[in-house]
Amino acid sequence: MFPNHDFQLSRRRFGAILVAGMLGAGLVSPAFAADPVVLTTRIGSDIGNLDPARIFQIENQTVATQIYNGLVKYDEATNEIVPDLAKSWEVSEDGTTYTFHLNDGVTFHKGYGPMTSDDVKFSFERVLDPETGSNYKGQFAAIDTIETPDPMTVVITLKAPNSGFLHKVAAFNQGWIVSRKALADIGKDQYLTNPIGTGPFVFEKWTPGREVRLVANKDYFEGAPKVDELLFRLIKDETAAAVALENGEIDIFFGLQEPAVISRLQASDKVTVLDRDANHTINLVLNTTNKPLDDLKVRQAIIHALNRKGLIEGFFKGTKSEAASVLTPSFQEFTDDVATYAYDPEKAKALLEEAGATGAEIELVAPAFNPYDKVVVALAADLEAVGFKPKITVLERGAYLQARNKGEVDTVITGVVGAPDPDSPILSMLSRSAFPPGLNTAHYEGIEDLIQAAGTATSTEERKKVYAEMQKKVAEDLPVVPLFTDHLFIAHTNKVKGFTQNSLFTMSAYPVSIEE
């Protein structure tokens, strides 16, 4: 008897041998000889929105990353801004005019023709249009005019100099370029799950609750991808996903969160586990317009009541880091010179009593996916221990987004996954321009003057000083309680080559190949 593993062939290897044998026997034509190379990636939650103007949630964003381009993009390894659809650009001496020169020969998927400066203008103005209802409108607040002197040139004039403007047009969320013609043909509602981009992969099919299938864009302007198809398989249970990875049924495990599963895969000789600091924190947003949360003492009582360090060490087994700000140390604008709040239940009780709010009811709203549906239970226990009457509400994605965007809930657990641009979390969660239906569920407006100052900063040092002041003010006002800084883990089989983990909580399949 031979050990069983001597006869365990991968699906691709078995398929190749089978086809070779059939070819030799003359049973198939050469047209069937090329077995498509499929890169299969696990996602932990289903998609539902691939429109850059309205996109949210990491699964949507990582699928969209394959489909779209921006004017510029982030280098996956270094976060340096590098060319994408724009091959070059110039900035006027006064810092207010950006002229982008587009690459020739870039075409939209599915016959929607060449990408031109008009599509860039359309994409950005669509985000700015209030009727679009984009969460990212505030990201483009610095734009005064967009001109298209010819099909390959875009001239964007700002209201004032802005040293961080290139971040706004980078390939992520509002920076992704869509086709004017495709939006008109498909319609804004149908477009959510029928996206048209210029990226290395073309959207083919979404089977709700099961998978998303993309095919390689053979005409991609930077050259065809190294795999023929990209399949995102929905596997909610992480242990099941780990087994699938070890068995070679999936190639990449995206959204790896559970400490026990991380440890299991790190011990496996069949896979590689990568980890990297994220650009985002996970926060408990406090609605400062709801009683008793409009009282600073109540908000201080909440942050003293929560055993955040215990959550990181006990629940996450050290796979997350402590956070005192919505910015993480991965931002050059980060500062740790802010007010901090130790776990102190007795102080929390005293503050709550001073505020006359002992016994106050408070609703904790969380999305129904791991780990947030479990984290909220620990938060509720801590709050109950100091005198609150917490009520847990765990909602499926659509209901959760609706509740958060409506902005009437007491609290919500959320983070802004995004680019290494401080405006990504700060404008999105803490600016008046992001009031619901935006992401400022706290209804906070305490740093409007600093946001304006940051927008006109003309040097990196000036920009860092302003963002430091913002972080101090937010830590004192407490519209949000930073729960932890996320740390990203991703695993792939040892057959996957060329993969680089980024810090955006997405992944790019473009450079990836599979070697048997």
Side-chain angles (χ1 to χ4, degrees):
M1 293 289 289
F2 292 94
N4 287 338
H5 67 259
D6 286 344
F7 294 96
Q8 290 177 350
L9 299 175
S10 71
R11 291 165 297 156
R12 298 186 187 90
R13 180 68 177 151
F14 177 78
I17 292 173
L18 179 63
V19 170
M22 295 173 76
L23 273 169
L27 298 177
V28 297
S29 69
F32 292 98
D35 209 17
V37 177
V38 182
L39 181 70
T40 303
T41 297
R42 173 264 184 179
I43 51 175
S45 185
D46 210 353
I47 69 160
N49 180 0
L50 299 174
D51 178 349
R54 295 185 283 172
I55 198 167
F56 190 77
Q57 187 176 314
I58 58 171
E59 285 78 9
N60 291 319
Q61 288 159 328
T62 205
V63 172
T65 295
Q66 325 304 323
I67 297 170
Y68 296 108
N69 296 96
L71 286 178
V72 297
K73 62 184 178 184
Y74 294 104
D75 181 281
E76 295 278 312
T78 66
N79 282 340
E80 180 186 359
I81 291 178
V82 297
D84 196 8
L85 292 177
K87 60 185 177 185
S88 62
W89 57 90
E90 300 109 32
V91 185
S92 63
E93 286 190 8
D94 67 359
T96 61
T97 302
Y98 285 68
T99 302
F100 295 94
H101 304 284
L102 306 180
N103 279 297
D104 291 318
V106 180
T107 56
F108 282 107
H109 304 155
K110 300 183 181 180
Y112 275 99
M115 183 278 304
T116 71
S117 56
D118 179 64
D119 296 299
V120 178
K121 177 182 173 70
F122 169 74
S123 299
F124 295 167
E125 290 183 344
R126 181 169 172 264
V127 171
L128 284 165
D129 186 346
E131 289 192 8
T132 304
S134 175
N135 289 333
Y136 306 108
K137 180 184 173 187
Q139 297 290 330
F140 283 158
I143 294 178
D144 186 17
T145 62
I146 304 174
E147 297 174 80
T148 54
D150 65 62
M152 293 291 103
T153 306
V154 181
V155 180
I156 299 177
T157 302
L158 308 183
K159 297 169 185 171
N162 188 320
S163 59
F165 181 68
L166 283 178
H167 288 288
K168 315 304 180 195
V169 296
F172 196 76
N173 293 347
Q174 79 280 345
W176 281 319
I177 304 303
V178 301
S179 159
R180 181 191 290 272
K181 186 176 188 307
L183 256 298
D185 285 357
I186 295 170
K188 67 176 185 179
D189 292 332
Q190 292 298 316
Y191 187 85
L192 293 175
T193 51
N194 293 279
I196 300 294
T198 55
F201 289 91
V202 181
F203 180 87
E204 183 176 85
K205 185 180 181 181
W206 172 43
T207 305
R210 289 185 54 192
E211 64 186 35
V212 185
R213 186 175 293 274
L214 312 182
V215 297
N217 177 7
K218 302 295 186 184
D219 299 321
Y220 188 52
F221 72 101
E222 291 188 335
K226 296 180 175 65
V227 298
D228 301 307
E229 297 181 12
L230 177 56
L231 180 67
F232 290 95
R233 274 186 59 194
L234 175 60
I235 307 175
K236 290 186 178 180
D237 182 81
E238 292 204 19
T239 300
V243 172
L245 185 72
E246 290 169 320
N247 289 343
E249 296 164 8
I250 61 174
D251 302 296
I252 297 175
F253 188 144
F254 175 77
L256 178 53
Q257 293 271 356
E258 291 186 10
V261 178
I262 293 169
S263 296
R264 168 184 175 150
L265 293 177
Q266 286 174 329
S268 172
D269 60 2
K270 297 180 180 178
V271 303
T272 299
V273 178
L274 305 173
D275 63 275
R276 182 169 179 175
D277 290 332
N279 295 331
H280 66 275
T281 56
I282 299 299
N283 312 281
L284 181 66
V285 179
L286 308 177
N287 188 336
T288 60
T289 61
N290 279 11
K291 290 188 178 302
L293 299 173
D294 59 341
D295 189 330
L296 177 60
K297 288 182 179 176
V298 174
R299 302 198 295 275
Q300 290 172 335
I302 289 173
I303 197 167
H304 278 300
L306 298 179
N307 187 357
R308 295 173 291 161
K309 192 172 182 179
L311 189 73
I312 292 166
E313 293 176 352
F315 186 88
F316 289 112
K317 309 297 182 189
T319 58
K320 311 293 183 188
S321 302
E322 293 183 57
S325 162
V326 295
L327 296 189
T328 72
S330 66
F331 292 84
Q332 62 178 350
E333 296 84 1
F334 170 80
T335 179
D336 58 5
D337 184 20
V338 299
T340 56
Y341 303 86
Y343 172 53
D344 191 339
E346 294 306 315
K347 190 168 185 177
K349 289 177 186 175
L351 285 163
L352 202 57
E353 189 173 340
E354 283 180 38
T358 300
E361 295 181 353
I362 182 171
E363 184 181 25
L364 303 175
V365 177
F369 48 84
N370 182 52
Y372 313 111
D373 54 346
K374 301 177 182 66
V375 164
V376 70
V377 177
L379 302 184
D382 285 346
L383 293 175
E384 187 171 21
V386 301
F388 285 99
K389 289 184 179 176
K391 173 190 172 187
I392 296 174
T393 302
V394 175
L395 300 172
E396 292 298 329
R397 184 189 61 204
Y400 163 80
L401 295 178
Q402 188 176 31
R404 190 203 59 197
N405 291 349
K406 195 173 180 181
E408 296 177 354
V409 294
D410 285 338
T411 74
V412 65
I413 296 177
T414 195
V416 176
V417 176
D421 170 15
D423 281 352
S424 181
I426 287 178
L427 289 186
S428 297
M429 283 203 298
L430 299 168
S431 73
R432 188 187 294 143
S433 64
F435 271 15
L439 299 178
N440 188 351
T441 316
H443 298 262
Y444 178 64
E445 51 185 332
I447 53 171
E448 291 302 309
D449 55 338
L450 294 170
I451 289 173
Q452 187 173 7
T456 56
T458 56
S459 71
T460 300
E461 286 307 308
E462 182 183 354
R463 187 172 159 88
K464 288 173 70 173
K465 286 180 182 176
V466 176
Y467 281 104
E469 289 301 313
M470 278 191 209
Q471 291 168 80
K472 289 180 183 178
K473 184 72 164 57
V474 171
E476 291 166 0
D477 293 346
L478 290 176
V480 300
V481 174
L483 297 175
F484 55 84
T485 295
D486 219 342
H487 197 70
L488 305 179
F489 292 88
I490 200 163
H492 61 72
T493 69
N494 292 334
K495 296 175 183 176
V496 169
K497 305 296 180 186
F499 184 88
T500 300
Q501 184 184 22
N502 64 37
S503 64
L504 279 67
F505 213 159
T506 63
M507 52 150 279
S508 172
Y510 177 59
V512 174
S513 62
I514 299 176
E515 298 179 11
E516 295 291 342

